[in-house]
Amino acid sequence: MENYEKEFQELLEQEELNYYSKGEIVEGEIVRITNDYAFVDIGQKTEAVVKKDELEGLNIGDKIKAVYTGKKTPEGYSILSRKPIRFKEALENVEKALNENLRINAKLIKNLEKGFIVDLNGIKAFLPYSESGLRKGENLPEEFEVYVLKLDKNRKVPNIVVSRKKVLQEEQQKKKEKLFSELEQGMSIPAKVVKIQDNGVVLSVGNIVFGFLPASLYSWDKNKSIKELKKGQEIEVFIKELDKENQKLILSRKDLEENPWEKFPYQVGDKVKAVVKKINDYGLIVKVDNLQGFIHKSETDHLYPNKFKEKFKEGSEVEAVIIELDRENQKLKLSIKQAHPHPLDKFLEEHPEGSEVEGKIKDVKNKVAFIDLGEIEGILHLEDATWNPKIKNIGQVLKGKKVEKFKVLGKEKDKIKLGLKQFKENPWDIFLSKYKVGDYVKGKVIKMIDRGAFVVINPETFGNDIEGFIPVNEISKERIEIPSDKLSLNQEIEAKIIKIKGHDIILSIKALEKDKEKKEIEKVIEKVKPKGEGLGTLGELLKEKLKEKNK
């Protein structure tokens, strides 16, 4: 009887152990924890076990749910697993997070080439590198929050894609909003240099907000540049413009400096010292005290403004007059030439009009010559070089001369006006006061053309200033074709003035000869005329005279 009871008891125990079916959910209480397992009271004689790494923070006394696996430990304890329960709960949490746009906790499991495998409280998901929010050189923390971007349950293993970047962006935006709520225009704040561009500097404020420092707002001192800044350098800046709605920040260092334009002690018209900092095609960039000014090339010299690059060097000091000062728009313009007397005015003070100067003939054109007077240049026009209106080229007057004395006539633009003919009285006035049509003059042949000869009249008295013309038919009583049939160059002649019109004087050798013949005849008549007797005919007298000539 005892043996039957023993066998029945064993059968009951065996039945009790297999009370739960494989895959069935079991509820129980953790009663003790060892190095490998947690022992769970599931209401049977023998406790079941759960692997310790599945506890997830549970302790003795906590109620748990687990799945009966149908397996036993070597010691005969039924093995439970919380993984299926956790997986189902995790999947439900993931689906809820996706549908309701909620954040969910994640733990880093593994690094892959293009991303990371993370654990979402019992279910694995993929975090692409592009959604990690990592910057170069950064690593993921062990735990962090993510948003679910994608969930595909129609697979043996659900496909889940998550994003940490979206969480970071939200956190950053919150920080931005908080920071912008604290910032006010006109505040002075520290900022870190992030990027240096040609037009300005990108700065980070509290590693949260980016602001921009334009190059024009870096410093009042034009010698200072944003190029002197270094990436990562922390500087103090002034909030110039603040747009909280669009979260834009314009920063300035210039506003933290004293405004030199307000302190500048000079006014328009003041003479100042300036240092040449740079020379460009338009003029000189100069420094006056702590301000930058500009001298246009036209204001660099009275006479030779286009030679400013040769005359001035960077670093040289010049004296200039302020001709424009705009403190509001920070513009300063100066003039070097207005700081010094005009060289022509200075020359005329030393050599007033009518005085005599010596100059070197350096360039002769058709109707004008340029004279070197030292630092300045003189100009001699043809009409001031000679009284002779027949001379058409000034080279005829200056031929063979290198240095000459001139009369100062005044100023002509950027040159001193000079004269030569002013050394003597107008010969035409003298000539016309002494001579008239019918008078005889002496002259010298200077030029011959087919229709006549040009002569200078009375050169001993008038030089080359009075010129006359003898038509070819007035050269001789005889018929000639060209002047050279009777005349030669430099031949001295005597002729009669037969016409004066303005500066045109017409001469005649033939008329003079006829006059001489007439006078001679008159003399003969006087000689042969018998006293008290009749005069006879004029023809008889002329015949008599001709006979005498032919003897």
Side-chain angles (χ1 to χ4, degrees):
M1 183 69 179
E2 291 179 0
N3 290 335
Y4 288 123
E5 288 179 356
K6 185 178 180 181
E7 290 176 4
F8 180 69
Q9 185 65 35
E10 289 176 356
L11 287 170
L12 287 175
E13 290 176 2
Q14 183 69 31
E15 182 67 24
E16 183 177 91
L17 285 174
N18 295 320
Y19 179 78
Y20 295 104
S21 303
K22 182 178 179 181
E24 188 176 346
I25 295 175
V26 178
E27 293 187 13
E29 181 182 337
I30 300 173
V31 293
R32 60 192 176 96
I33 300 174
T34 65
N35 290 335
D36 299 318
Y37 295 103
F39 290 85
V40 182
D41 180 3
I42 57 174
Q44 294 190 11
K45 184 176 180 181
T46 306
E47 297 159 344
V49 296
V50 177
K51 287 183 179 179
K52 186 178 179 180
D53 61 6
E54 293 184 33
L55 290 182
E56 291 291 328
L58 295 173
N59 291 308
I60 296 171
D62 289 339
K63 303 287 184 180
I64 67 168
K65 288 183 181 181
V67 175
Y68 186 76
T69 64
K71 297 179 181 179
K72 292 181 182 290
T73 66
E75 293 80 15
Y77 294 103
S78 295
I79 298 175
L80 306 177
S81 175
R82 295 190 69 243
K83 287 182 179 180
I85 300 294
R86 289 180 60 225
F87 183 84
K88 182 181 178 184
E89 290 174 349
L91 190 59
E92 290 173 351
N93 288 336
V94 168
E95 191 168 13
K96 182 180 180 182
L98 176 63
N99 294 334
E100 299 180 16
N101 194 33
L102 301 174
R103 295 184 188 183
I104 190 170
N105 290 326
K107 289 183 180 180
L108 177 62
I109 296 176
K110 186 178 181 181
N111 290 357
L112 301 176
E113 184 178 352
K114 295 185 178 181
F116 308 89
I117 300 296
V118 297
D119 175 62
L120 306 179
N121 296 321
I123 192 168
K124 292 180 181 178
F126 179 61
L127 171 62
Y129 192 86
S130 61
E131 293 293 331
S132 68
L134 293 177
R135 295 177 182 173
K136 191 174 181 180
E138 287 185 337
N139 295 315
L140 275 178
E142 290 298 318
E143 294 188 24
F144 47 89
E145 288 185 316
V146 294
Y147 276 103
V148 179
L149 298 181
K150 178 183 177 182
L151 170 60
D152 184 0
K153 297 190 295 182
N154 298 323
R155 288 181 162 198
K156 187 175 181 181
V157 177
N159 181 16
I160 305 170
V161 179
V162 295
S163 171
R164 175 176 177 257
K165 182 171 72 173
K166 189 177 176 182
V167 173
L168 295 179
Q169 288 173 340
E170 285 184 353
E171 293 299 317
Q172 190 74 1
Q173 185 60 29
K174 288 179 182 177
K175 291 178 181 178
K176 276 186 180 181
E177 290 172 358
K178 183 177 183 299
L179 182 59
F180 269 103
S181 69
E182 296 170 350
L183 295 177
E184 294 296 338
Q185 190 167 317
M187 287 177 64
S188 175
I189 57 173
K192 187 181 292 184
V193 176
V194 175
K195 186 179 181 182
I196 301 171
Q197 304 171 168
D198 290 338
N199 61 337
V201 184
V202 178
L203 298 171
S204 170
V205 180
N207 293 322
I208 298 170
V209 173
F210 290 109
F212 187 66
L213 168 61
S216 60
L217 295 179
Y218 181 65
S219 177
W220 291 106
D221 189 345
K222 298 295 183 181
N223 295 315
K224 292 183 178 180
S225 164
I226 57 174
K227 301 298 181 184
E228 66 190 26
L229 296 175
K230 304 293 182 184
K231 188 175 180 180
Q233 180 180 347
E234 190 167 286
I235 59 174
E236 194 75 12
V237 290
F238 177 88
I239 299 177
K240 187 78 171 176
E241 295 179 22
L242 177 63
D243 184 346
K244 293 187 178 185
E245 184 178 348
N246 297 302
Q247 296 186 344
K248 288 184 179 180
L249 198 58
I250 301 297
L251 304 169
S252 167
R253 282 195 75 192
K254 182 188 282 189
D255 287 271
L256 297 177
E257 300 174 347
E258 196 168 35
N259 186 344
W261 291 90
E262 295 176 357
K263 287 183 61 183
F264 193 62
Y266 304 106
Q267 303 295 331
V268 171
D270 288 348
K271 189 181 290 188
V272 296
K273 299 286 186 181
V275 177
V276 179
K277 304 303 293 183
K278 190 177 180 181
I279 302 173
N280 59 33
D281 291 339
Y282 303 100
L284 311 177
I285 297 172
V286 298
K287 185 178 181 181
V288 183
D289 288 359
N290 290 323
L291 299 188
Q292 180 174 290
F294 181 67
I295 303 174
H296 191 268
K297 60 184 179 182
S298 62
E299 294 293 332
T300 57
D301 193 271
H302 287 283
L303 301 176
Y304 310 109
N306 290 327
K307 294 183 178 181
F308 70 100
K309 287 186 178 181
E310 302 170 22
K311 187 174 181 180
F312 301 99
K313 303 295 179 186
E314 290 183 7
S316 60
E317 186 178 77
V318 297
E319 194 172 45
V321 169
I322 297 172
I323 57 175
E324 184 180 333
L325 176 59
D326 187 341
R327 298 178 191 270
E328 184 178 346
N329 295 303
Q330 291 117 46
K331 287 184 180 180
L332 175 64
K333 292 183 181 180
L334 305 103
S335 171
I336 294 174
K337 72 180 187 182
Q338 292 187 33
H340 306 277
H342 198 295
L344 298 185
D345 295 333
K346 185 179 179 182
F347 181 88
L348 289 174
E349 282 182 15
E350 299 171 358
H351 306 89
E353 289 185 27
S355 62
E356 184 179 312
V357 293
E358 189 174 88
K360 183 179 179 182
I361 300 165
K362 68 175 188 177
D363 193 12
V364 178
K365 304 293 184 183
N366 187 27
K367 294 182 181 295
V368 68
F370 298 97
I371 314 301
D372 185 356
L373 296 175
E375 292 184 0
I376 60 176
E377 191 174 63
I379 185 168
L380 174 68
H381 293 281
L382 177 61
E383 59 265 27
D384 292 316
T386 177
W387 290 105
N388 189 348
K390 304 298 182 182
I391 293 178
K392 303 300 180 184
N393 192 314
I394 199 170
Q396 294 176 246
V397 182
L398 300 175
K399 188 176 181 180
K401 298 178 180 178
K402 291 184 178 179
V403 177
E404 184 65 278
K405 289 185 177 180
F406 302 91
K407 281 281 187 179
V408 177
L409 303 183
K411 185 166 63 174
E412 183 177 309
K413 294 183 179 178
D414 59 350
K415 294 176 176 57
I416 294 294
K417 189 176 182 181
L418 302 172
L420 275 177
K421 73 179 187 181
Q422 288 78 12
F423 279 102
K424 53 188 176 183
E425 190 179 348
N426 187 342
W428 284 94
D429 292 341
I430 299 172
F431 178 83
L432 293 174
S433 67
K434 289 185 176 182
Y435 296 94
K436 62 185 183 300
V437 173
D439 289 345
Y440 301 149
V441 292
K442 292 183 179 181
K444 184 169 70 173
V445 177
I446 58 171
K447 183 180 178 182
M448 290 186 288
I449 59 177
D450 289 346
R451 61 186 182 87
F454 293 93
V455 298
V456 288
I457 298 173
N458 293 0
E460 296 83 2
T461 303
F462 302 114
N464 295 324
D465 293 324
I466 307 296
E467 203 172 293
F469 181 69
I470 308 174
V472 67
N473 61 350
E474 295 292 336
I475 291 175
S476 174
K477 291 188 297 180
E478 301 174 15
R479 179 178 174 80
I480 61 174
E481 297 296 327
I482 54 176
S484 58
D485 289 343
K486 281 290 184 179
L487 299 175
S488 59
L489 284 176
N490 297 317
Q491 179 181 339
E492 293 183 353
I493 59 95
E494 187 176 13
K496 181 181 180 179
I497 301 171
I498 60 175
K499 184 180 180 180
I500 299 176
K501 186 178 181 180
H503 291 112
D504 291 330
I505 301 172
I506 307 301
L507 305 173
S508 174
I509 297 174
K510 183 172 74 173
L512 181 140
E513 289 176 347
K514 284 183 177 181
D515 286 351
K516 284 183 176 181
E517 283 184 2
K518 184 178 178 182
K519 285 181 181 179
E520 223 174 297
I521 290 170
E522 288 175 351
K523 285 181 182 179
V524 169
I525 291 172
E526 284 295 323
K527 286 182 180 181
V528 300
K529 177 181 176 184
K531 291 183 179 180
E533 297 181 4
L535 294 175
T537 66
L538 179 60
E540 290 173 345
L541 293 172
L542 289 174
K543 286 178 182 178
E544 186 66 29
K545 180 64 179 173
L546 288 172
K547 284 179 183 177
E548 290 181 6
K549 272 191 150 189
N550 291 329
K551 284 181 179 180

